[in-house]
Amino acid sequence: KEEVEKLKAETSNLFENSIKKINSFLLKDIIELQNGKDLSKSSRIEGEYFIYGGNGILGKLNEYLVEKPTIAIGRVGAYCGAVHLTKEKSWITDNSMFVSNYLKEVNIKFLYFSLKKLNLNQFANAASHPNISQPTVLNQKIPLPPLSEQQKIVSEIEKIEEKIKVLETEISEIPKQKEAVLKKYL
């Protein structure tokens, strides 16, 4: 678990150090956002396409709203500002907004890491029902290196994430191994 935390910190540091001297741009000069669409529970028919809401995957549906992988951002409630990288052919609910168009060359994973780093929840309206608007998000700045540099940064982060995944799998196996040892010796 300590190693996982070290690797997560390494990911954060790698990203921070890679973008230190890079020019920043307003998100409105990089992307366009669109709100998701309402999806009543009664109209949901189980299918093969993931449904994304403010807190991530909500289930599966037999139709999709967005063809390509995109980034969904929680718009209302406790998860406003939460950032999720979607699969291709997915539905984004009206509790979220999503990247609908790119105005500059951007690696989607680089954008995802950049948006997560912004901690968008801090910009939420502090009403009884927290929310964050498209203009609020689009008026935030992120560093944007050339596409080739974005790809290098993402590649390095993915290597670290793979190590984290292996360690988390090992950690999840520990209780089973412990049980086996206890049964053997008790």
Side-chain angles (χ1 to χ4, degrees):
K1 287 181 182 178
E2 286 176 19
E3 186 65 22
V4 167
E5 290 309 311
K6 283 181 192 172
L7 288 169
K8 286 181 180 179
E10 185 179 330
T11 299
S12 183
N13 292 336
L14 171 74
F15 189 79
E16 293 282 330
N17 292 333
S18 298
I19 60 173
K20 270 186 181 170
K21 296 178 182 169
I22 303 294
N23 288 336
S24 290
F25 294 87
L26 289 170
L27 282 167
K28 68 182 174 185
D29 295 327
I30 300 171
I31 58 171
E32 292 177 347
L33 294 172
Q34 181 178 327
N35 287 347
K37 294 208 177 182
D38 183 36
L39 184 62
S40 66
K41 289 193 188 247
S42 61
S43 69
R44 289 185 190 183
I45 299 172
E46 182 78 21
E48 61 181 297
Y49 308 114
F50 287 107
I51 305 167
Y52 290 86
N55 62 342
I57 296 173
L58 302 175
K60 288 189 167 185
L61 191 64
N62 68 335
E63 58 183 310
Y64 57 90
L65 176 66
V66 181
E67 179 95 24
K68 295 180 179 178
T70 190
I71 296 171
I73 302 168
R75 213 171 52 78
V76 296
Y79 295 101
C80 70
V83 180
H84 306 283
L85 186 59
T86 73
K87 305 277 186 199
E88 65 181 25
K89 296 185 179 175
S90 60
W91 188 278
I92 315 293
T93 70
D94 59 345
N95 284 340
S96 294
M97 60 184 98
F98 63 94
V99 176
S100 58
N101 191 28
Y102 294 92
L103 306 173
K104 293 194 182 288
E105 283 190 317
V106 183
N107 177 297
I108 190 171
K109 284 194 169 182
F110 181 86
L111 179 61
Y112 169 74
F113 295 134
S114 297
L115 289 170
K116 287 192 70 83
K117 267 287 186 216
L118 283 176
N119 187 22
L120 291 169
N121 186 269
Q122 70 178 315
F123 305 111
N125 173 333
S128 61
H129 195 61
N131 64 71
I132 191 166
S133 67
Q134 287 184 26
T136 300
V137 172
L138 292 171
N139 281 314
Q140 304 310 311
K141 283 185 167 185
I142 64 165
L144 191 65
L147 187 59
S148 61
E149 186 64 25
Q150 292 174 43
Q151 291 166 331
K152 284 180 194 172
I153 294 166
V154 167
S155 176
E156 290 300 313
I157 291 172
E158 285 176 335
K159 287 176 189 172
I160 296 169
E161 286 181 332
E162 191 56 40
K163 291 177 187 176
I164 291 171
K165 192 175 177 181
V166 167
L167 288 170
E168 286 177 336
T169 300
E170 287 176 17
I171 290 168
S172 70
E173 293 295 316
I174 290 173
K176 294 175 194 167
Q177 293 170 354
K178 179 181 173 184
E179 187 68 29
V181 169
L182 288 173
K183 282 182 180 179
K184 182 177 178 181
Y185 292 105
L186 293 179

